[in-house]
């Protein structure tokens, strides 16, 4: 009875628009008043799980991503993408996808990728007479690449929760991110093939010279993920140390290389990062506590029995798990949805024969797709604020991208495990 009320309360509060930490806090209040469980023991478990130096990677990456975003490092990346694809019809919108993938490797956040790349690229798309609803939808659908292209904060949290190798999770998610990038660009070209009036990007002078100049300007930005991934893969730094180096590296690059940071902007960025960090940490703490309660109530076993009562076919089981994760992604932000899904669904996926590293990639794709899928779609509403395009104008092209880009990626990553596991198996 209490379990059913708790789940119902979470769903009702989330649908009503209550913040995720407060929604799960409401469940704790319900448990305290109606249940016979020791809530303080659950709180202690949450504190114990978060009392680790590994968790520092989250605030450090948040600070690094925000500093790089405010430091105007996306400009050279956008120029490279435009030079590579802008000379063909649909190339400028394809460059948006490429730029989102490249910036995602720096920010590690879907919302940051959408805010930064969207604010830069959308005026270019409008100037070149791309359909506004299509342009905004593409930027929204490409923004979750920040969750897949390493270094990814979401994959770090998953690896921490499930005690898996961070490097292997990064590599599995990278395969999903590259596959999704390919599908988004292809669907983009197909959708624009009969659209009239779209103008090409005009490049002054030699394209090779322009590309060389833009690449040189982008080197300080590109070095950041190289330092992080190279340090981790080379065994020189732990993920936490790499995040600290990234945060420190972002300061001189933002101040003196791209000159997007001033003392005022730097201070405001730190304050904004502090708010984000506080929200994320409280959210993770609350979700961990409620997840502990659900595990204490043996919810993973109940869920597994419910799923297997429908079918014990591994294909069907994985399909049902994907549906559940998409629904969670529609109701929650990427971090809280990932924490809950990782805690409850990883054992079920493993029981169906899926490797936990493989599940990291599947989970990343599901969370990204849930964040852009109506009716809730938090990134869709953020995209509307960034671009000024109504959500209604974005829904149709968004659904096309979901059906023909996101779903094929999810299908291949789920049912062809060799794709996600190729790089982890090759390097480890």
């Amino acid at each position: 009875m209490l379990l059913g009320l708790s789940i119902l309360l979470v769903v009702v509060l989330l649908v009503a628009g209550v913040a995720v930490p407060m929604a799960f806090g409401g469940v704790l209040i319900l448990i305290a008043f109606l249940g016979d469980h020791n809530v303080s023991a659950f709180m202690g478990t949450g504190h114990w799980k978060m009392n680790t130096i590994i968790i520092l990677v989250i605030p450090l990456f948040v600070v690094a991503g925000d500093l790089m975003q405010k430091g105007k490092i996306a400009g050279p990346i956008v120029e490279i993408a435009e030079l590579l694809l802008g000379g063909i019809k649909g190339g400028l919108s394809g460059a948006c996808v490429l730029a989102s993938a490249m910036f995602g490797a720096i920010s590690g956040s879907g919302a940051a990728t959408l805010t930064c790349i969207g604010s830069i690229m959308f005026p270019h798309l409008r100037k070149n007479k791309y359909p506004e609803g299509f342009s905004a939808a593409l930027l929204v659908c490409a923004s979750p690449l920040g969750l897949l292209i390493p270094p990814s904060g979401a994959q770090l949290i998953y690896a921490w929760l499930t005690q898996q190798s961070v490097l292997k999770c990064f590599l599995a998610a990278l395969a999903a991110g590259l596959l999704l990038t390919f599908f988004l660009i292809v669907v983009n070209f197909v959708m624009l093939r009969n659209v009239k009036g779209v103008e090409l990007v005009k490049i002054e002078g030699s394209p090779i010279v322009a590309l060389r100049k833009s690449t040189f300007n982008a080197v300080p930005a590109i070095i950041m993920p190289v330092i992080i991934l190279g340090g981790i893969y080379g065994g020189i730094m732990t993920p936490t140390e790499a995040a600290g180096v990234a945060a420190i590296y972002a300061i001189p690059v933002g101040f003196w290389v791209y000159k997007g940071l001033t003392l005022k902007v730097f201070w405001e960025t730190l304050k904004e990062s502090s708010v984000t960090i506080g929200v994320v940490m409280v959210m993770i703490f609350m979700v961990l506590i409620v997840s502990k309660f659900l595990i204490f109530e043996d919810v993973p076993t109940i869920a597994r029995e419910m799923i297997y009562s429908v079918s014990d076919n591994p294909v069907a089981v994985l399909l049902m798990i994907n549906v559940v994760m998409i629904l969670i992604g529609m109701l929650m932000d990427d971090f809280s949805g990932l924490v809950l899904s990782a805690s409850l669904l990883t054992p079920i996926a493993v029981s169906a024969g899926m490797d936990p590293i493989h599940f990291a990639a599947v989970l990343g794709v599901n969370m990204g797709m849930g964040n852009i899928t109506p009716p809730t779609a938090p990134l869709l509403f953020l995209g509307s604020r960034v671009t000024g395009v109504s959500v209604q104008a974005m829904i149709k092209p968004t659904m096309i991208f979901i059906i023909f880009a996101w779903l094929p990626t999810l299908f291949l990553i789920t049912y062809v495990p060799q794709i996600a596991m190729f790089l982890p198996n090759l390097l480890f």
Side-chain angles (χ1 to χ4, degrees):
M1 180 66 177
L2 180 60
L3 176 61
L5 286 175
S6 300
I7 295 174
L8 178 63
L9 179 61
V10 168
V11 173
V12 169
L13 291 176
L14 290 174
V15 171
V18 176
V20 172
M22 299 302 103
F24 283 100
V27 172
L28 292 178
I29 294 173
L30 180 69
I31 295 171
F33 278 97
L34 300 182
D36 55 358
H37 299 289
N38 186 350
V39 177
S40 61
F42 290 151
M43 303 264 304
T45 301
H47 175 267
W48 175 78
K49 292 199 73 171
M50 293 192 69
N51 188 22
T52 170
I53 194 171
I54 299 175
I55 202 70
L56 278 175
V57 74
I58 298 173
L60 289 173
F61 265 125
V62 169
V63 171
D66 286 349
L67 288 174
M68 296 297 272
Q69 177 186 348
K70 294 296 178 64
K72 297 183 178 179
I73 62 101
I77 292 175
V78 169
E79 290 177 6
I80 293 175
E82 288 183 354
L83 289 169
L84 291 174
L85 296 175
I88 54 179
K89 185 177 181 180
L92 184 59
S93 49
C96 292
V97 179
L98 192 59
S100 295
M102 295 171 68
F103 188 76
I106 296 171
S107 69
S109 163
T113 300
L114 176 58
T115 302
C116 192
I117 300 300
S119 60
I120 294 174
M121 290 298 294
F122 187 75
H124 289 252
L125 294 167
R126 176 182 284 162
K127 178 182 177 181
N128 287 271
K129 301 181 180 178
Y130 280 74
E132 292 193 357
F134 164 85
S135 302
L138 178 60
L139 288 165
V140 168
C141 292
S143 62
L145 288 169
L147 303 175
L148 297 172
I149 306 294
S152 166
Q155 294 302 321
L156 284 164
I157 293 176
Y158 174 84
W160 167 60
L161 287 171
T162 58
Q163 300 298 303
Q164 299 299 319
S165 165
V166 172
L167 303 182
K168 290 183 179 180
C169 291
F170 277 177
L171 292 173
L174 174 62
L178 294 177
L179 187 62
L180 178 61
T181 301
F182 171 77
F183 279 129
L184 286 172
I185 292 176
V186 170
V187 174
N188 154 74
F189 283 124
V190 173
M191 291 178 68
L192 290 175
R193 69 189 188 283
N194 295 323
V195 176
K196 298 181 179 179
V198 173
E199 297 180 358
L200 304 182
V201 176
K202 297 179 181 179
I203 302 173
E204 298 181 1
S206 171
I208 296 177
V209 173
L211 181 60
R212 187 187 303 138
K213 180 180 179 182
S214 296
T215 303
F216 178 79
N217 291 336
V219 165
I222 297 172
I223 284 178
M224 180 177 171
V226 171
I227 291 175
I228 296 171
L229 298 177
I232 296 174
Y233 291 139
I236 302 171
M237 297 181 284
T238 65
T240 305
E241 291 167 345
V245 170
I248 295 172
Y249 176 79
I251 296 174
V253 170
F255 269 108
W256 298 299
V257 178
Y258 297 114
K259 300 180 180 178
L261 290 179
T262 62
L263 289 176
K264 181 180 179 181
V265 173
F266 178 70
W267 179 244
E268 291 175 351
T269 302
L270 291 181
K271 290 193 291 185
E272 292 174 8
S273 298
S274 300
V275 173
T276 302
I277 292 166
V279 171
V280 170
M281 291 309 214
V282 171
M283 175 186 63
I284 292 176
F285 180 68
M286 289 294 188
V287 174
L288 282 173
I289 295 172
V290 174
S291 297
K292 183 65 177 179
F293 164 70
L294 296 177
I295 293 171
F296 190 85
E297 291 290 325
D298 206 19
V299 172
T301 301
I302 296 173
R304 182 167 61 248
E305 291 176 353
M306 290 178 61
I307 290 175
Y308 277 94
S309 67
V310 177
S311 174
D312 59 358
N313 186 309
V315 174
V317 171
L318 294 179
L319 176 62
M320 288 184 278
I321 291 174
N322 279 326
V323 171
V324 172
M325 286 192 289
I326 292 172
L327 293 174
I328 292 175
M330 291 170 61
L331 293 172
M332 302 182 185
D333 62 276
D334 45 12
F335 284 118
S336 54
L338 185 139
V339 172
L340 188 61
S341 298
S343 302
L344 298 180
L345 298 177
T346 302
I348 302 176
V350 172
S351 71
M354 180 177 284
D355 189 292
I357 301 299
H358 177 200
F359 189 63
V362 175
L363 183 55
V365 175
N366 274 292
M367 289 299 105
M369 187 163 70
N371 279 189
I372 64 172
T373 302
T376 50
L379 288 179
L380 197 64
F381 288 94
L382 176 60
S384 178
R385 292 199 299 269
V386 171
T387 63
V389 178
S390 68
V391 172
Q392 289 76 12
M394 289 190 285
I395 286 181
K396 181 178 178 180
T398 296
M399 294 308 300
I400 293 175
F401 282 117
I402 290 174
I403 293 171
F404 293 104
W406 277 91
L407 283 178
T409 300
L410 180 59
F411 177 83
L412 289 174
I413 288 296
T414 301
Y415 293 112
V416 187
Q418 293 82 358
I419 296 176
M421 297 301 294
F422 175 75
L423 288 175
N425 290 337
L426 180 66
L427 298 179
F428 292 94

